[in-house]
Amino acid sequence: MAAVAQLLRGAVRGPPALAAGRRALGSAPLPPAGAAGWGRRRSALALAAGTLGGLGLGLGLWRRRAAVAAGEDGPGAAAQEEEEEMRRLCQRFMAPPVSGLRELWRRRRDMRGRMELFIMETQAEVCRALEALDGGAAFTVNTWERKEGGGGISCVLQDGHIFEKAGVNVSVVLGHLSVEAMQQMKSRKTLKDKDGKLPFCAMGVSSVIHPKNPHVPTVHFNYRYFEIEEADGTKQWWFGGGTDLTPTYLNNEDAVHFHKTLKEACDKHDPKLYPKYKKWCDDYFYIKHRGERRGIGGIFFDDLDSPSKEEVFQFVQSCAKAIVPCYIPIVKNHCHDPFTPEEKLWQQLRRGRYVEFNLVYDRGTKFGLATPGSRIESVLMSLPLTARWEYMHTPPENSREAEILEVLRNPKDWVH
């Protein structure tokens, strides 16, 4: 992750002499790269090896750049080393980047390039963690292209030892917003289109993980970046995202751990952020026709465009890096817990609520369905393999099922 962070920051920090060397960097074209470095299915061992192999890349690059700045190497060496660094980083991803290495190299200093690198790394990191923990199934990787512009990478693990279905998707799409998508955005923002057209670029990483064991909660996360070009050429940009937990049964220790981990990520930037985005999460994941939340929340934010693009991006990175530590320990603690057929039935009923929210209210699902050329299999990846609806089902009073319903109807403060 350190080497990725260097590229995301747009420069590697070092002595003043190194800064001069950086200013001299050229823009030599990136050599073509085949897809041989990426497999359609990766074992956890191979992925872990790739991670370990990359730990020293950042330091090595810094030293080589320092040598260039000191005049110990040719003037084009630093640019070549930076290109090679990006190539090595990309080889640790689940598939070749959506925009391609050449385009990423060209955009390595702007937000679109940096965000794409980050969501690709986030996808790979989460897939590595899930695959290593499951031990019974590997991710199937599908790349897809959108004729209107862009494409994506869908990684799905099904019928594993621990996870019934786990999907981690990356999408980078561009073109013109559909009328429906435009109306959806204009309900929240002031946007000036030209002859009914609004050029846009949207990218993000999203995931929903449905475990088999009803004592292991479902988790969802999504981190995204939008750019819109208005009729007068003005560009609007914003970030959105969040991470939230949906348990079948309430475990107070798990809830506290999950929320504290997210709070720590937020507090690095501003202690006011967690309570604000925790409430936003509780409000957003509200199933109006049921009078209850989808889960016990987490954090959620959207249309975030201040205080600055760089500061918001750093905040988004902190949140995304908290995904594995906030969730994987919970899975490890409960993936082998015994459960009854009645508890499995309750899990299926709660998954029905999950489906209801995603199809009726979720912005991301609605945006995907309204965007021409979207890959529907990826849009609906969040749905579980199995769910259940029973007519007029009501759990007994004072039961564990009634306990979780009470929290879903009246959200709690988990960190104070």
Side-chain angles (χ1 to χ4, degrees):
M1 289 294 289
V4 175
Q6 291 164 352
L7 280 175
L8 293 174
R9 285 194 297 267
V12 177
R13 295 178 182 175
L18 184 56
R22 283 201 302 272
R23 287 193 294 270
L25 289 180
S27 55
L30 194 67
W38 293 275
R40 288 297 180 193
R41 297 170 67 89
R42 296 189 174 197
S43 67
L45 179 60
L47 288 167
T51 305
L52 292 173
L55 289 177
L57 292 179
L59 181 59
L61 178 62
W62 189 93
R63 287 172 175 166
R64 288 191 293 272
R65 284 185 175 180
V68 171
E72 298 171 9
D73 211 335
Q80 293 173 6
E81 292 292 354
E82 192 172 12
E83 291 173 9
E84 182 62 25
E85 181 80 358
M86 180 174 285
R87 187 181 302 286
R88 292 177 185 177
L89 288 172
C90 292
Q91 286 177 343
R92 299 210 305 272
F93 297 160
M94 300 301 287
V98 176
S99 297
L101 284 171
R102 287 180 181 274
E103 181 65 12
L104 271 185
W105 172 252
R106 188 176 74 83
R107 291 188 173 276
R108 68 193 183 280
R109 299 288 187 253
D110 70 22
M111 188 54 67
R112 284 169 59 173
R114 295 168 67 196
M115 184 66 178
E116 184 171 348
L117 275 172
F118 182 68
I119 60 179
M120 293 289 296
E121 178 68 11
T122 300
Q123 180 187 52
E125 180 187 14
V126 173
C127 288
R128 284 196 294 266
L130 296 176
E131 198 172 74
L133 185 58
D134 187 89
F139 275 94
T140 297
V141 181
N142 297 116
T143 60
W144 53 274
E145 293 184 3
R146 177 175 173 269
K147 65 179 182 179
E148 293 82 357
I153 302 161
S154 297
C155 300
V156 179
L157 181 155
Q158 288 189 162
D159 290 319
H161 288 163
I162 294 174
F163 303 109
E164 183 174 287
K165 183 181 180 184
V168 190
N169 291 345
V170 158
S171 62
V172 180
V173 295
L174 58 155
H176 291 89
L177 287 176
S178 67
V179 174
E180 187 177 350
M182 201 183 308
Q183 291 173 344
Q184 183 183 337
M185 285 194 177
K186 283 185 175 180
S187 67
R188 311 190 321 265
K189 303 179 76 70
T190 301
L191 299 172
K192 295 173 285 186
D193 62 272
K194 183 178 181 180
D195 300 325
K197 292 185 177 181
L198 204 57
F200 83 101
C201 174
M203 63 184 67
V205 57
S206 62
S207 175
V208 177
I209 301 160
H210 295 290
K212 288 185 171 180
N213 194 311
H215 297 296
V216 179
T218 289
V219 75
H220 157 261
F221 69 83
N222 179 298
Y223 291 96
R224 55 196 178 273
Y225 174 69
F226 277 84
E227 282 187 2
I228 299 286
E229 184 175 337
E230 298 188 86
D232 60 0
T234 301
K235 286 188 177 180
Q236 287 201 42
W237 61 267
W238 65 89
F239 289 87
T243 305
D244 61 280
L245 197 70
T246 303
T248 300
Y249 289 95
L250 184 63
N251 182 297
N252 284 281
E253 290 183 2
D254 293 344
V256 170
H257 165 78
F258 183 81
H259 278 268
K260 276 192 171 180
T261 305
L262 294 178
K263 182 179 183 299
E264 289 169 0
C266 293
D267 286 353
K268 293 176 182 178
H269 303 269
D270 188 337
K272 297 177 182 178
L273 295 181
Y274 169 78
K276 178 180 178 180
Y277 297 149
K278 193 268 186 190
K279 183 181 185 306
W280 199 341
C281 187
D282 290 335
D283 293 342
Y284 176 77
F285 290 105
Y286 182 62
I287 309 173
K288 296 178 184 178
H289 60 274
R290 296 289 189 180
E292 60 192 44
R293 276 77 186 166
R294 190 178 74 176
I296 63 167
I299 57 172
F300 176 86
F301 55 90
D302 206 357
D303 303 326
L304 198 58
D305 57 6
S306 65
S308 71
K309 186 181 291 187
E310 184 62 32
E311 288 173 288
V312 179
F313 181 50
Q314 295 299 327
F315 169 68
V316 167
Q317 290 182 78
S318 294
C319 294
K321 289 173 183 176
I323 295 164
V324 169
C326 78
Y327 182 61
I328 294 299
I330 296 175
V331 180
K332 289 181 177 179
N333 287 341
H334 301 291
C335 61
H336 300 300
D337 287 1
F339 59 88
T340 66
E342 292 75 19
E343 290 171 332
K344 187 66 178 177
L345 172 64
W346 179 243
Q347 181 194 53
Q348 299 301 296
L349 292 170
R350 293 312 309 169
R351 282 182 175 173
R353 299 291 202 268
Y354 206 95
V355 172
E356 290 176 26
F357 176 86
N358 282 25
L359 293 182
V360 177
Y361 300 111
D362 184 64
R363 286 182 188 174
T365 302
K366 293 166 77 172
F367 178 81
L369 295 175
T371 301
S374 291
R375 186 172 187 264
I376 301 303
E377 286 295 323
S378 298
V379 174
L380 299 181
M381 173 273 299
S382 62
L383 303 183
L385 281 183
T386 58
R388 185 179 178 94
W389 286 263
E390 287 190 5
Y391 181 69
M392 297 296 288
H393 183 278
T394 303
E397 290 186 15
N398 301 318
S399 64
R400 292 200 66 200
E401 291 79 10
E403 178 187 32
I404 186 69
L405 279 181
E406 173 60 26
V407 173
L408 299 179
R409 291 166 180 162
N410 299 286
K412 291 180 61 175
D413 180 350
W414 298 103
V415 297
H416 296 102

